[in-house]
Amino acid sequence: MLDGYEMTVGLEVHAQLDTNTKIFCGCKNEFGAEPNNHTCPICLGLPGTLPVLNEKAVEYIIKAGLALNCEIATFSKFDRKNYFYADLPKAYQISQFDLPFCENGEVIIQPEGEDEMKVGITRIHLEEDAGKLNHAGSDISSANSSLVDYNRVGTPLIEIVSEPDIHSPEQAIAYLKKLKSIIEYIGVSDCDMSQGSMRADVNISVAPVGSDELGTRTELKNMNSFKAIEKALRYEPRRQIKVLESGGEIIQGTLTWDDEASKTRAMRSKEEAHDYRYFPEPDLVPVIVDESWVEEIKSTLPELPDVRQERYVTEFGIPEYDAGVITADREMADFFEAVVSEYDDAKTASNWMMGDVSKLLNEEGISISEAKFAPEDLAKMLNLMDEGTISSKIAKTVFEEMFATGKDPDTIVEEKGLKQISDTSELEDIIDQVLEENQSALEDYRGGNKNVFGFFIGQTMKATRGKANPGVVNKILREKLEG
Ligand SMILES: [Zn+2]
């Protein structure tokens, strides 16, 4: 696909941990507060203050490490990463360098159109987030000004670093989606990309196929959209190949993705890049992680998406694909299980979850937990359909109403008079009328044009506003036309 070249992608995924308070102080860890309201002398880095490690943050990184099949370090420490920027009041970030909490993990992914594969995880470390600069468009009238919000400073952050196993945009996206799914399952982060609680640094290099060495890499920082990452991964390797093919050299550095122009632009080269001068954080003692604590945390892990997917195939008999789509989102999977506890046909239930339910949720931009209807309502509606009380076509109408109002499906069917007409004599009268009103079509049919049959069905459904039982209509029509 890349004419003689292979791309290698490295991903550093940051996820903000959902602790109540920040990592080294008692400030609230909360998105969306008034700027600079969740700050104190510690997270503002005032002289004379000392950090105190939040135990919950350590528990959460260990939980993430276990869910991602990592080895958990029994001895771990923090280091200072030094850089000077307005979003970082201390002028250093407390992070981890050589002794992170988790190492040597892996996840199984299923890239679109490719075979299932493993992606190695080099390490997961714990650090504090920086503040947020709001450039142009702020309420200071000049577009050249920037405002700084320190609420985010000290938010606990895990950074998950992948091995160079990823070689296509499909693999990168499958990996990111899998990480997101697992982290959401274990409940340590909400992974809301639009709020920046999950974001990725993406580094990209190309090298001739079969080469032992990786090419010089470029990096895109803080990407928070799967779509943009995918587009960048289609664009950047081709740009690099073009440079190499024309005898040029790839300059290692940071790029930015210009979504409007659909291309990468250079931001800074390595010469200008920071030397972080890591050194051990003197204000925090190393952390010794007790094995029994690790075991205790392990016992709190929920059933993870891979296991759940397998279970859906064996327990509910739905295809692996369906099981994969539904279990990728924990809330969807919980909802599905509640539906099938009251409705027997799991395949029909999964079709609805992946089809009409997902479609309306996407249109509204909400998650299943925010929907107005309950799993019991969907189960009830599907049962009405299977019993023949409503047709499958009318079921869609009932569902839309249920989605919009949260009303009980029985009530909707009653109020809107949507009950299916299966009564033979009633349908016979309607069909007689349809045939009478469409004499020329009837002649066509009798003249050998059998396709007109569908037309009569359509006219009958129309005359009953979709309420006729299609099976019964079909049978009566056959009798009348051929019998
Ligand atoms: Zn604070």
Side-chain angles (χ1 to χ4, degrees):
M1 165 195 133
L2 292 173
D3 348 283
Y5 286 87
E6 183 179 58
M7 153 170 76
T8 299
V9 182
L11 291 160
E12 291 166 11
V13 175
H14 289 94
Q16 287 178 347
L17 298 178
D18 254 336
T19 51
N20 293 327
T21 53
K22 293 186 180 183
I23 186 170
F24 298 123
C25 64
C27 289
K28 232 183 181 171
N29 172 24
E30 180 189 60
F31 181 84
E34 284 292 305
N36 297 307
N37 269 22
H38 296 327
T39 53
C40 73
I42 296 172
C43 55
L44 290 176
L46 300 190
T49 58
L50 287 172
V52 176
L53 179 59
N54 181 341
E55 187 180 341
K56 204 74 186 167
V58 180
E59 180 190 322
Y60 278 3
I61 189 175
I62 292 173
K63 206 167 181 177
L66 291 168
L68 297 170
N69 306 300
C70 290
E71 291 159 18
I72 309 300
T74 48
F75 184 92
S76 191
K77 72 169 173 65
F78 288 95
D79 297 88
R80 282 189 187 179
K81 179 179 178 179
N82 299 277
Y83 68 92
F84 185 75
Y85 198 57
D87 65 1
L88 194 67
K90 298 198 296 286
Y92 61 84
Q93 176 190 28
I94 301 180
S95 180
Q96 295 193 285
F97 186 60
D98 55 339
L99 293 171
F101 281 103
C102 316
E103 283 182 290
N104 301 323
E106 62 180 38
V107 278
I108 309 281
I109 61 163
Q110 175 65 69
E112 212 178 313
E114 296 181 32
D115 290 338
E116 193 178 90
M117 63 178 279
K118 236 180 234 176
V119 176
I121 289 168
T122 316
R123 56 186 273 151
I124 311 176
H125 64 253
L126 185 59
E127 61 188 25
E128 56 180 341
D129 209 345
K132 215 174 161 193
L133 295 183
N134 296 309
H135 302 293
S138 58
D139 49 11
I140 289 186
S141 55
S142 161
N144 292 322
S145 69
S146 291
L147 297 176
V148 64
D149 177 6
Y150 286 139
N151 282 347
R152 203 176 71 176
V153 169
T155 298
L157 206 58
I158 52 173
E159 180 175 327
I160 305 164
V161 182
S162 71
E163 285 286 291
D165 295 335
I166 297 168
H167 301 289
S168 74
E170 290 77 12
Q171 292 170 9
I173 297 303
Y175 170 76
L176 290 169
K177 285 189 173 165
K178 196 55 171 283
L179 282 192
K180 183 169 186 283
S181 167
I182 292 173
I183 295 168
E184 283 172 353
Y185 260 74
I186 60 175
V188 302
S189 171
D190 64 13
C191 292
D192 188 329
M193 297 182 80
S194 65
Q195 294 181 355
S197 51
M198 177 176 167
R199 47 194 203 261
D201 295 346
V202 183
N203 62 65
I204 308 161
S205 65
V206 297
V209 172
S211 160
D212 294 338
E213 275 173 50
L214 295 177
T216 305
R217 61 183 212 184
T218 53
E219 186 170 41
L220 289 148
K221 283 193 176 287
N222 285 323
M223 302 283 282
N224 65 351
S225 136
F226 287 151
K227 242 181 216 143
I229 292 172
E230 190 175 350
K231 281 199 253 173
L233 287 176
R234 295 200 188 285
Y235 174 86
E236 178 61 13
R238 290 194 159 80
R239 183 194 71 82
Q240 292 185 9
I241 291 168
K242 220 183 264 174
V243 171
L244 293 173
E245 289 286 301
S246 63
E249 230 182 290
I250 304 299
I251 297 158
Q252 182 171 346
T254 305
L255 306 174
T256 147
W257 174 248
D258 183 340
D259 209 43
E260 240 155 72
S262 269
K263 60 197 274 193
T264 52
R265 281 189 290 118
M267 253 176 93
R268 54 171 188 251
S269 71
K270 204 194 170 197
E271 283 87 308
E272 303 160 48
H274 306 283
D275 169 4
Y276 293 121
R277 295 173 293 121
Y278 278 97
F279 64 86
E281 167 59 55
D283 289 340
L284 288 163
V285 290
V287 182
I288 292 168
V289 176
D290 205 59
E291 242 168 82
S292 63
W293 191 35
V294 175
E295 285 308 312
E296 201 184 309
I297 296 170
K298 198 185 247 172
S299 71
T300 68
L301 283 178
E303 181 184 36
L304 294 174
D306 285 348
V307 179
R308 201 171 198 182
Q309 181 183 7
E310 278 313 301
R311 179 165 67 79
Y312 279 21
V313 173
T314 49
E315 188 177 330
F316 302 126
I318 61 172
E320 199 168 328
Y321 174 81
D322 295 35
V325 172
I326 291 168
T327 56
D329 181 324
R330 185 178 180 175
E331 289 178 352
M332 279 296 253
D334 290 345
F335 196 96
F336 171 79
E337 282 193 44
V339 172
V340 294
S341 71
E342 295 184 22
Y343 174 69
D344 289 338
D345 184 351
K347 176 59 185 151
T348 299
S350 87
N351 286 348
W352 274 83
M353 293 297 292
M354 296 189 301
D356 295 75
V357 175
S358 297
K359 188 177 145 241
L360 291 192
L361 290 174
N362 285 340
E363 278 173 18
E364 292 292 313
I366 57 170
S367 72
I368 190 81
S369 61
E370 296 165 291
K372 288 188 180 133
F373 65 101
E376 299 73 44
D377 297 324
L378 183 59
K380 200 187 258 182
M381 189 207 81
L382 294 172
N383 280 317
L384 287 175
M385 189 178 81
D386 283 6
E387 290 155 14
T389 308
I390 53 172
S391 68
S392 55
K393 203 171 160 221
I394 290 294
K396 289 188 186 282
T397 312
V398 174
F399 176 69
E400 278 166 23
E401 183 71 13
M402 204 168 90
F403 190 95
T405 63
K407 273 187 192 162
D408 176 84
D410 283 331
T411 312
I412 297 170
V413 171
E414 196 61 40
E415 278 179 5
K416 302 213 154 203
L418 295 171
K419 240 180 211 149
Q420 179 161 259
I421 308 168
S422 300
D423 179 62
T424 317
S425 65
E426 190 181 347
L427 285 175
E428 273 194 25
D429 291 348
I430 295 164
I431 290 169
D432 283 341
Q433 203 177 341
V434 165
L435 294 176
E436 202 180 305
E437 283 166 4
N438 294 284
Q439 284 299 325
S440 68
L442 191 58
E443 276 161 37
D444 272 5
Y445 185 84
R446 299 222 153 104
N449 183 0
K450 299 296 178 196
N451 290 334
V452 183
F453 193 82
F455 168 77
F456 291 129
I457 295 214
Q459 289 301 306
T460 309
M461 295 310 284
K462 200 172 154 195
T464 58
R465 288 183 297 133
K467 290 186 292 178
N469 180 326
V472 180
V473 172
N474 204 295
K475 188 163 161 271
I476 298 174
L477 258 176
R478 288 229 179 271
E479 282 164 12
K480 288 200 182 292
L481 294 171
E482 283 154 24

